Amino acid sequence: IVGIRVGGAMSYVTSYGVKSTAIGGYAVGVVDQLQLVLNVPFYLETGLSIIGKGYQIKGFDDSKTRLHYLHIPIGINYHINVADKFEVIPIVGTYLAIGVAGERKRNGETVSVFGNGGFKRIDFGTQYGLNIADNYLNDFGFTRRNLAIKYGQGAFEEIRD
């Protein structure tokens, strides 16, 4: 099952006891699901996306940070048919993210956040979520709409010491 995914992203960081405020972001990419077992709705899901996320800190280190990553997820999902043409799809997996651009605005100055004591470009972590999908026919043929809610937790410390 190949598709295009477009959506939003939210992120925050906790560092030195300070938790940031999330800034809305974006996610755009392609996804593919490969059926693992014949006649069983058990799939390997992978894809490639560009994800923009960011956060804002106030009161300690007033700043706004925006990050852009190439995101490569790998997960396992299971399609549970709950009604005619309607499925609930839990997913669990991992991801690799590669930082492609990022900046921090602080005190009127904008600086790159990757390299030279800034953020690490590579992140790896776990993700899990729930998709709700319906299948319908339109003038262009078979189509699937999908609403997904996912959570990812990075495994690496993002900031260099």
Side-chain angles (χ1 to χ4, degrees):
I1 303 170
V2 177
I4 296 172
R5 287 208 176 143
V6 177
M10 298 291 285
S11 61
Y12 67 91
V13 297
T14 301
S15 180
Y16 301 107
V18 177
K19 184 175 178 181
S20 68
T21 303
I23 297 174
Y26 64 90
V28 178
V30 295
V31 64
D32 191 13
Q33 295 181 49
L34 305 168
Q35 193 166 10
L36 295 174
V37 181
L38 191 61
N39 299 322
V40 177
F42 192 54
Y43 293 84
L44 172 69
E45 180 177 314
T46 189
L48 181 63
S49 299
I50 296 289
I51 295 181
K53 49 189 172 179
Y55 61 90
Q56 185 168 353
I57 296 176
K58 291 184 179 179
F60 171 71
D61 175 24
D62 291 352
S63 63
K64 185 183 283 188
T65 304
R66 294 206 179 266
L67 306 164
H68 307 276
Y69 286 92
L70 186 62
H71 189 261
I72 305 164
I74 298 174
I76 301 292
N77 71 40
Y78 187 81
H79 294 225
I80 302 166
N81 192 17
V82 294
D84 185 37
K85 300 179 183 178
F86 184 76
E87 298 173 325
V88 173
I89 308 166
I91 182 169
V92 63
T94 187
Y95 70 88
L96 173 68
I98 303 165
V100 294
E103 65 180 24
R104 173 174 288 141
K105 293 181 181 178
R106 185 173 145 208
N107 299 327
E109 181 182 358
T110 301
V111 297
S112 175
V113 296
F114 290 117
N116 293 336
F119 284 78
K120 296 177 184 175
R121 286 194 183 271
I122 303 294
D123 187 27
F124 177 81
T126 58
Q127 66 178 13
Y128 51 91
L130 185 66
N131 298 342
I132 300 171
D134 72 333
N135 303 309
Y136 66 98
L137 287 172
N138 62 19
D139 294 337
F140 303 107
F142 187 77
T143 303
R144 170 178 280 233
R145 292 180 291 199
N146 187 350
L147 174 64
I149 298 174
K150 292 185 180 176
Y151 176 80
Q153 176 67 47
F156 298 145
E157 292 291 326
E158 287 283 329
I159 301 173
R160 298 175 197 262
D161 291 333

